[in-house]
């Protein structure tokens, strides 16, 4: 089931890429509608064995408000799987805290998390989400790597093993957005705009330009950005400012993701201190930095995240410039009116790359934003199957599991039926005092079935007769995972046999 649904993800993604769309900017809402369903459907189907399965996906307001559960079924998730999309906190740090709380409480739902790429790796290192590379078809994993943005894949991979634990959902990148119309009124021309589009100015130049335009305009704010005390400041807004000055939290890019616990801590180095002072000067004009940074930001930014800066620059058209993610480009294009004109460029730089303390830092730096899809480890469950529903692979058809390679160990003829004790490793033997122990399976076949000790035997399980139990409470969770298989075993299925195998 899992391979079927994840391949559906690929087909739907390709179909989306090949569809013609109307011209005009791609708003955040339209992007989520277009890109999101296929990605989450690939994991929603992983829960699709049960005919009564429910899958809960925890996202945000935009996801919950714009996803149509029917779209998952159109993407290949069986109709019998109920999809529920719930909205967690909008602020990324609060959402991370909620997920931690849910996982610590071992809640059975939600099943799927939409996770900020800025804090996915800690969940991976704590084994709080499922290692998807171990569960998904290898060809699909290879295709995801080939088709996705490399750094987003890396933020969803284990820093030590490189295995993919979370699927890329969509990437996001910050830009500097500004009001061209206000700059024109202050005397700037297309010559500057064209140059900035490919060669962004330094923070010295940009802060002076914004302050100049602000002074000549009738808007309340100059440069607005996200400086609230939240996760986005540390991992994004300040991170890119610090990197643009050649500084880093943990040395260069080689130690960005690990090894965790062994990375050098470099926050006290001069480039980091300089970036802190630049951020301070942008707001207070205190001349703390060695560069000549002009005060151009309001003190309100110390309490603002994305929503407040959106409101000031886009909703109210009341700021000269804004640092924000690419989704706001579409919002501004949709909402600006009259002579209001949007300009977009890369982030200003702190020091040239050749002056940075570490390779590949300095220059114009944009923090990688975006979201990944992770699967909760949920509860530990026990899979139960009666001996008559363990079937030699050459005698089964219909809805059965993947093949399990086993070896016969103990054979007990019981008149018109035979109990066969199987082990999954040739070097193991059956624990007769605990027939349901891990690594061994009890099978019931008719006397005409050719079996003998120490025989390699491929078996499958009849999905309709599989049962899931909560490992802690022993409560039955699911009975039957598919339609009945058509089996010729020589004995009647069902019966009153007490034998049972958990694996």
């Amino acid at each position: 089931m899992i391979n079927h649904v994840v391949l559906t993800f690929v087909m739907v993604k390709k179909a989306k890429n090949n569809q013609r769309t109307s011209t005009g900017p791609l708003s955040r809402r339209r992007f989520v509608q277009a890109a999101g369903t296929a990605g989450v459907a690939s994991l929603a189907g992983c829960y699709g064995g049960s005919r009564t399965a429910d899958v809960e996906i925890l996202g945000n307001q935009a996801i919950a408000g714009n996803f149509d559960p029917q779209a998952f079924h159109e993407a290949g998730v069986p109709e019998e799987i109920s999809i529920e999309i719930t909205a967690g906190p909008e602020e990324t740090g609060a959402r991370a805290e909620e997920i931690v709380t849910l996982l610590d409480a071992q809640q059975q739902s939600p099943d799927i998390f939409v996770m900020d790429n800025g804090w996915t790796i800690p969940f991976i290192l704590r084994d709080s989400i499922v290692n998807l590379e171990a569960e998904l078809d290898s060809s699909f994993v290879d295709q995801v790597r080939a088709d996705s943005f490399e750094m987003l894949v890396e933020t969803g991979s284990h820093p030590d093993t490189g295995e993919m634990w979370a699927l890329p959902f969509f990437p996001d990148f910050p830009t500097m957005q500004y009001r061209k119309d206000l700059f024109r009124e202050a005397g700037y021309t297309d010559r500057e705009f064209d140059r900035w589009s490919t060669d962004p100015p330094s923070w010295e130049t940009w802060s002076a330009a914004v302050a100049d335009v602000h002074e000549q305009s009738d808007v309340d704010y100059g440069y607005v950005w996200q400086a609230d005390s939240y996760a986005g400041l540390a991992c994004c807004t300040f991170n890119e400012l610090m990197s643009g000055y050649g500084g880093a939290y943990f040395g260069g890019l080689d130690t960005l993701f690990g090894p965790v616990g062994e990375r050098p801590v470099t926050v006290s180095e001069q480039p980091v201190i300089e970036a802190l002072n630049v951020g301070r000067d942008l707001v207070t004009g205190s001349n703390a930095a060695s560069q000549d940074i002009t005060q151009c930001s309001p003190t309100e930014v110390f309490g603002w995240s994305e929503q407040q800066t959106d409101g000031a620059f886009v909703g109210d058209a009341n700021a000269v410039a804004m640092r924000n993610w690419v989704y706001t480009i579409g919002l501004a294009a949709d909402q600006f009116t009259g002579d209001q004109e949007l300009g977009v460029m890369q982030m200003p730089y702190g020091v040239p790359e050749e002056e940075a303390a570490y390779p590949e830092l300095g220059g114009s730096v944009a923090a990688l934003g975006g979201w990944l899809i992770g699967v909760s480890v949920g509860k530990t469950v026990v899979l139960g199957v009666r001996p008559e529903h363990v079937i030699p692979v050459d005698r089964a058809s219909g809805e059965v599991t993947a093949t399990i390679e086993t070896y016969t160990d103990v054979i007990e003829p019981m008149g018109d039926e035979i109990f066969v004790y199987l082990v999954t490793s040739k070097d193991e033997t059956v624990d007769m005092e605990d027939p349901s122990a891990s690594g061994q399976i009890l099978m019931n076949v008719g006397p005409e079935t050719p079996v003998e000790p120490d025989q390699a035997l491929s078996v499958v399980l009849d999905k309709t007769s599989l049962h899931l139990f909560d490992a802690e409470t022993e409560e039955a969770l699911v009975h039957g995972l598919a339609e009945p298989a058509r089996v010729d075993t020589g004995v009647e299925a069902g019966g009153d046999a007490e034998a049972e195998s958990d694996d």
Side-chain angles (χ1 to χ4, degrees), residues 322-345:
M322 171 182 71
R323 179 263 181 214
N324 217 325
W325 305 99
V326 293
Y327 75 86
T328 55
I329 297 174
L331 294 179
D334 285 342
Q335 297 183 39
F336 278 1
T337 60
D339 295 332
Q340 296 168 354
E341 184 181 2
L342 178 67
V344 180
M345 68 179 188

Side-chain angles (χ1 to χ4, degrees), residues 96-127:
E97 292 175 3
E98 180 178 36
I99 293 175
V100 168
T101 300
L102 292 169
L103 291 172
D104 286 348
Q106 293 190 318
Q107 294 294 312
Q108 191 170 351
S109 61
D111 306 288
I112 296 173
F113 301 118
V114 179
M115 312 180 74
D116 193 318
N117 78 304
W119 40 255
T120 301
I121 285 180
F123 284 87
I124 294 173
L125 293 173
R126 292 195 295 263
D127 292 328

Side-chain angles (χ1 to χ4, degrees), residues 95-169:
R95 182 140 19 121
E97 292 175 3
E98 180 178 36
I99 293 175
V100 168
T101 300
L102 292 169
L103 291 172
D104 286 348
Q106 293 190 318
Q107 294 294 312
Q108 191 170 351
S109 61
D111 306 288
I112 296 173
F113 301 118
V114 179
M115 312 180 74
D116 193 318
N117 78 304
W119 40 255
T120 301
I121 285 180
F123 284 87
I124 294 173
L125 293 173
R126 292 195 295 263
D127 292 328
S128 296
I129 57 177
V130 174
N131 177 1
L132 294 180
E133 186 155 341
E135 303 295 333
L136 298 175
D137 183 84
S138 61
S139 62
F140 172 74
V141 173
D142 291 342
Q143 186 163 2
V144 170
R145 282 200 173 97
D147 293 347
S148 303
F149 186 68
E150 181 179 354
M151 287 298 292
L152 194 60
V153 170
E154 193 164 354
T155 59
S157 300
H158 197 292
D160 295 333
T161 67
E163 292 176 306
M164 185 183 299
W165 285 57
L167 287 179
F169 189 27

Side-chain angles (χ1 to χ4, degrees), residues 246-259:
Y249 293 126
F250 304 108
L253 296 184
D254 290 343
T255 51
L256 179 62
F257 294 114

Side-chain angles (χ1 to χ4, degrees), residues 200-253:
S202 67
W203 277 108
E204 283 185 299
T205 300
W206 183 246
S207 62
V210 172
D212 176 39
V213 173
H214 185 209
E215 185 177 356
Q216 300 183 58
S217 70
D218 59 356
V219 298
D220 290 335
Y221 306 119
Y223 170 52
V224 295
W225 48 296
Q226 301 82 45
D228 193 11
S229 178
Y230 78 123
L233 175 63
C235 72
C236 300
T237 315
F238 177 71
N239 190 10
E240 66 195 17
L241 182 65
M242 171 182 64
S243 300
Y245 277 89
Y249 293 126
F250 304 108
L253 296 184

